[in-house]
Amino acid sequence: MSFARELSRRALSIRLETVPEEAVHIGRRAFADTVGVALAGADAPYLDALEAVLECDAAPGQVTLWGRRGRRASMLHAALVNGTAAHALDFDDCSTTMGGHPSAPVVPVVLGLAEALDLPAGKALEAWITGVEVETRLARGLLPHHYEKGWHPTATLGVFGAAAAASRMFDFDEEQMATALAVTVSMASGLKSNFGTPVKPLHVGQAAHNGIMAALVTRRGMTANLEAFEHNYGFFNLFNGPGTYDADTILEGWDGQLEVLQPGIAIKQHPCCGSAHSAIDAALRIVAREGLLAADAIETIETRTHERRLAHTNRPEPRSGLDAKFSVQFLTAKALTAGRIRLGDFEDAHFLTPDVASLLPCITARAHQDADAYRGDVRVVMKDGRVFEDGASTNFGRGPANLMSDDELCDKFVDCAAASLGDKDAGDVYRAFLALDADTPIGPLMARLSGKGDA
């Protein structure tokens, strides 16, 4: 029996009527959070270029482009645009197991297909749970080597979550889903070398697009090698390498607790790379105790984060707002002097304020190899001799152990969506997401996301 078949059999065992209600509610929250950050990211200039290349205006389709001023596109093109928007601000939810962002490659798939095919919310929620379980369980057997090798798991594993979710939306049987996953093996990509550029969010759009593509061509009769994962030249051996993965771990425990429940989905509080959140939170602990620190009163700052995190966040001279999202130096300085990290901090025109610019040469970013890979420490030496130190261990966001409440998530959604929908309508749309039940039609809610302000 092929790995693709074994994985498909387990994925198809997930049924909305048998999963805990808590998992369904987490799915509703994931829909809202992903759409909210996509609405905030919908004005990214490279999305205009993407739409132009795809010629969306020349061939409008059935699926709403979130926050894109009333435009629609085909299922494939909408997945590409909405998926890219969902990761444009690096503010989407996270999974510690996956070492990436589970919902951004999957939510555009399930909501787009539900809109295009006139399917209810229950179908989309079941497909979301399936997609997230597939991508995170793949990560169980592939990380940390997969991540350390330089792959971007949100893309390279998220594409399988997207394909599995699309397979559920199309009611595939085991053979069809296995084929779609085998097709997807040849569609997986995403390199960490493009972190800090618009290509990183494009990875997510590509994963969503390719997941639907794999399901669509399978639906039309495409075949593939059902041993494409375990083949000598297959995904496991080429993307990881012999001896660096454990296929059995991926297939174990599907009759136990869902990944979406434990370790769960973490909601981001800070609109930047999750690998810097521990340093940010350590800095904010100092601010909570000492008050905001004036840049001209600081002598030196030292950060310590895990070597795996520092590898892509050691950016002492960020060149753009997007690059600054991946700079532990910039983010720590901003947290110490402003007391929070805001969406507006990364606007290219004025992201590098004079106080932060003056601090960047004073910051030393060091790596550690502690057992707690999420641990971050900050040490500040003031010019008057005082020393402030603190640390934090933030697993990319607020997860089950420190849950962000529905009200707090509403605040985040409104902050993200207000520019597109207006404050009142943003709040109404958020509440509509959290009120979704199995029979709720998705189409009317998606129509409210056009960004025309008439929700």
Side-chain angles (χ1 to χ4, degrees):
M1 187 66 71
S2 76
F3 178 88
R5 280 201 183 98
E6 293 291 339
L7 183 59
S8 298
R9 178 179 300 128
R10 288 157 175 78
L12 288 170
S13 69
I14 295 171
R15 297 289 176 184
L16 191 70
E17 59 268 21
T18 60
V19 301
E21 169 57 28
E22 182 186 356
V24 179
H25 187 60
I26 290 170
R28 297 184 189 107
R29 286 163 54 96
F31 286 3
D33 189 56
T34 305
V35 167
V37 298
L39 289 169
D43 286 333
Y46 47 85
L47 290 176
D48 292 334
L50 191 55
E51 271 198 61
V53 168
L54 298 174
E55 298 183 333
C56 292
D57 287 340
Q62 302 165 283
V63 182
T64 301
L65 297 179
W66 305 336
R68 299 292 292 169
R69 295 170 290 283
R71 296 198 288 279
R72 289 173 171 263
S74 69
M75 291 184 288
L76 285 168
H77 289 172
L80 186 52
V81 175
N82 289 338
T84 302
H87 198 53
L89 301 180
D90 218 295
F91 206 8
D92 43 316
D93 67 21
C94 299
S95 161
T96 55
T97 301
M98 187 179 176
H101 305 264
S103 289
V106 177
V107 171
V109 170
V110 300
L111 293 183
L113 291 180
E115 183 178 16
L117 304 175
D118 193 24
L119 296 173
K123 191 74 174 173
L125 288 163
E126 182 180 75
W128 175 81
I129 295 171
T130 301
V132 172
E133 292 299 310
V134 165
E135 62 195 11
T136 53
R137 288 171 186 270
L138 281 167
R140 284 185 183 184
L142 293 165
L143 267 62
H145 183 80
H146 188 81
Y147 187 91
E148 292 171 343
K149 192 170 183 180
W151 296 115
H152 181 199
T154 305
T156 55
L157 305 185
V159 68
F160 295 107
S167 297
R168 295 306 300 268
M169 298 299 288
F170 289 134
D171 286 323
F172 280 2
D173 61 22
E174 181 184 312
E175 185 78 7
Q176 288 172 307
M177 181 183 280
T179 300
L181 292 172
V183 171
T184 305
V185 165
S186 288
M187 295 177 149
S189 190
L191 309 178
K192 285 165 64 178
S193 60
N194 268 318
F195 278 19
T197 78
V199 179
K200 184 173 188 271
L202 182 61
H203 288 172
V204 179
Q206 172 183 266
H209 172 279
N210 287 355
I212 294 181
M213 172 72 83
L216 284 172
V217 297
T218 298
R219 202 180 184 202
R220 294 280 187 171
M222 177 72 76
T223 60
N225 180 2
L226 295 187
E227 296 181 351
F229 282 95
E230 67 270 32
H231 191 279
N232 187 45
Y233 299 126
F235 185 85
F236 292 151
N237 284 319
L238 294 183
F239 276 67
N240 264 53
T244 67
Y245 62 88
D246 187 344
D248 290 339
T249 295
I250 298 167
L251 298 175
E252 291 170 352
W254 284 75
D255 56 351
Q257 181 137 271
L258 293 169
E259 273 277 337
V260 301
L261 295 176
Q262 190 60 245
I265 303 299
I267 304 294
K268 271 195 172 185
Q269 287 181 277
H270 311 304
C272 56
C273 181
S275 291
H277 281 205
S278 291
I280 293 169
D281 287 344
L284 293 178
R285 286 175 182 261
I286 293 173
V287 169
R289 188 174 65 245
E290 308 294 341
L292 294 178
L293 304 186
D296 59 5
I298 295 173
E299 184 72 32
T300 62
I301 300 169
E302 180 178 307
T303 68
R304 289 182 70 255
T305 53
H306 195 274
E307 61 180 5
R308 215 159 47 231
R309 315 288 171 219
L310 187 60
H312 54 270
T313 59
N314 186 15
R315 298 168 189 247
E317 298 178 355
R319 295 161 294 177
S320 67
L322 183 56
D323 198 30
K325 284 175 175 283
F326 295 86
S327 168
V328 69
Q329 293 91 339
F330 173 92
L331 295 165
T332 303
K334 180 62 72 171
L336 289 169
T337 57
R340 62 179 294 184
I341 306 295
R342 303 178 180 176
L343 286 170
D345 293 336
F346 304 101
E347 295 176 5
D348 281 338
H350 49 78
F351 83 95
L352 198 56
T353 55
D355 56 345
V356 171
S358 70
L359 283 177
L360 290 179
C362 306
I363 302 175
T364 301
R366 302 191 186 282
H368 69 70
Q369 298 177 320
D370 298 350
D372 183 356
Y374 299 102
R375 175 78 185 182
D377 297 292
V378 173
R379 184 175 191 269
V380 183
V381 177
M382 306 297 288
K383 289 180 178 177
D384 62 10
R386 290 178 298 161
V387 177
F388 304 135
E389 297 179 271
D390 221 316
S393 181
T394 306
N395 295 352
F396 296 150
R398 294 270 293 276
N402 183 26
L403 191 67
M404 184 181 287
S405 71
D406 289 348
D407 287 342
E408 288 178 307
L409 185 57
C410 182
D411 290 341
K412 176 183 174 180
F413 183 89
V414 172
D415 185 41
C416 287
S420 287
L421 308 181
D423 286 352
K424 180 183 181 303
D425 288 340
D428 289 345
V429 167
Y430 174 79
R431 286 182 285 274
F433 272 114
L434 261 59
L436 291 174
D437 61 33
D439 298 323
T440 305
I442 282 290
L445 181 53
M446 294 299 98
R448 302 177 73 177
L449 304 179
S450 66
K452 294 184 292 184
D454 59 357

